Amino acid sequence: MSEPGARLPPMSVAELSLEQWRSLGLPAARRIAQDTARLVGGRVSVVDTVEHLGGPLHRVRIERNGQEFALIPGGAVTLGFDLDAWRPTPEQAADYAQTLERGFGCAADLRAHLAEVLSPRRSVVLATVLMAVEDEALTESPADMPAVLAARGLRMPSSDEWEHACGAGAGTLFRWGDDCPLDRIPYGDPTGPHQQPSGFGLRIAYDTYSVELTSDADAVHGGDGGESVCGGYGHMLAWLPLATACRNPSMAEFVYGPDGEDQCEDFSTRPVLTL
């Protein structure tokens, strides 16, 4: 950790990396929060520090035009899920096996299923952005939403930006770890780990009935519209739509197909304010 008064070298806020952000003391983080708020015509509503991945992480919220945004530092980050380094717990494997016994058409084992729905491990470089703390319902079709948001000075996030904002540097299956409660499903559970804010302070991946759209038409995030819950797939698969790297290709195909056009009010997006 840098000294409390440490400053970044002269740079654009958009160039701020997660590594640099984590090296700063709280006073420096407050200064960056105030500078960013002035830049976008907003005001700082929250600056605090939480324990995340074994060290401190500053969280900033900026209110602009009645909407709260979280500061999402970028830089060179690793996204996706490393299946080669992961093994299911015996309980997870057994829960998935019960799903297969009930006759649902999933892959032969849990690892094979995850390979179909999760994005692969990769390194990307992202700009620092402000991202809405809460997702908001679509008011137009997915094709028309970019123009709707642009009129407010906003845009849809990319899939990479969504995953980074959700995981906040965590390489685990879910933003809170590799495990999920297997004695219940997430829907209707007010005490589960999905109810906690993300490392950056977002309310994200919190409801499997949610379907969050990004600028990438081959992926949706944060939920599957309730399919896994209503389908009786088993507890493991009921939690899986909340996995950070889950892109749910079958739901994406539905959303961007002809049937999805008539249900835009059931989908949401998480506006981004570019710095």
Side-chain angles (χ1 to χ4, degrees):
M1 171 75 75
S2 298
E3 291 299 317
R7 290 180 179 271
L8 289 172
M11 62 187 296
S12 165
V13 175
E15 298 173 319
L16 176 68
S17 72
L18 178 57
E19 182 179 5
Q20 290 171 318
W21 181 243
R22 299 200 72 161
S23 75
L24 296 175
L26 186 57
R30 288 197 180 104
R31 284 195 293 271
I32 289 176
Q34 293 291 350
D35 290 345
T36 304
R38 283 193 291 269
L39 179 66
V40 301
R43 68 172 185 86
V44 176
S45 56
V46 174
V47 181
D48 62 10
T49 304
V50 297
E51 185 76 11
H52 182 67
L53 302 180
L57 177 63
H58 308 306
R59 296 199 300 203
V60 169
R61 287 190 181 188
I62 292 175
E63 187 271 330
R64 175 183 178 269
N65 296 336
Q67 187 171 28
E68 274 204 312
F69 295 85
L71 181 70
I72 312 295
V77 297
T78 301
L79 300 178
F81 189 63
D82 187 359
L83 270 173
D84 292 335
W86 178 83
R87 295 292 181 274
T89 66
E91 293 78 13
Q92 289 172 335
D95 187 89
Y96 185 81
Q98 291 176 2
T99 296
L100 292 180
E101 290 175 1
R102 286 195 290 270
F104 293 108
C106 303
D109 58 53
L110 182 55
R111 283 169 56 83
H113 181 75
L114 294 184
E116 294 179 0
V117 300
L118 301 183
S119 67
R121 201 71 163 163
R122 63 203 183 279
S123 297
V124 303
V125 177
L126 299 174
T128 294
V129 299
L130 293 176
M131 186 177 291
V133 171
E134 302 270 358
D135 59 312
E136 61 178 71
L138 266 62
T139 57
E140 301 289 342
S141 70
D144 293 332
M145 276 306 294
V148 172
L149 291 175
R152 295 160 51 196
L154 304 170
R155 62 172 174 84
M156 298 173 78
S158 69
S159 286
D160 285 349
E161 287 175 326
W162 194 99
E163 285 190 27
H164 175 55
C166 182
T172 50
L173 183 58
F174 303 96
R175 56 183 170 81
W176 58 81
D178 283 325
D179 294 329
C180 59
L182 292 177
D183 59 346
R184 59 193 186 275
I185 61 174
Y187 181 70
D189 175 17
T191 62
H194 57 307
Q195 300 294 347
Q196 299 300 313
S198 72
F200 293 132
L202 302 175
R203 187 169 185 254
I204 193 168
Y206 64 93
D207 181 2
T208 54
Y209 274 82
S210 174
V211 179
E212 288 195 35
L213 277 55
T214 68
S215 59
D216 301 307
D218 60 349
V220 298
H221 301 271
D224 63 358
E227 176 186 354
S228 56
V229 173
C230 295
Y233 293 165
H235 291 154
M236 183 65 193
L237 293 194
W239 283 90
L240 189 58
L242 304 184
T244 302
C246 186
R247 292 194 165 193
N248 209 328
S250 62
M251 178 57 66
E253 184 177 356
F254 170 80
V255 168
Y256 289 99
D259 294 332
E261 289 290 325
D262 297 330
Q263 299 188 42
C264 64
E265 70 278 2
D266 295 330
F267 312 137
S268 67
T269 193
R270 191 169 293 268
V272 166
L273 182 55
T274 302
L275 299 174

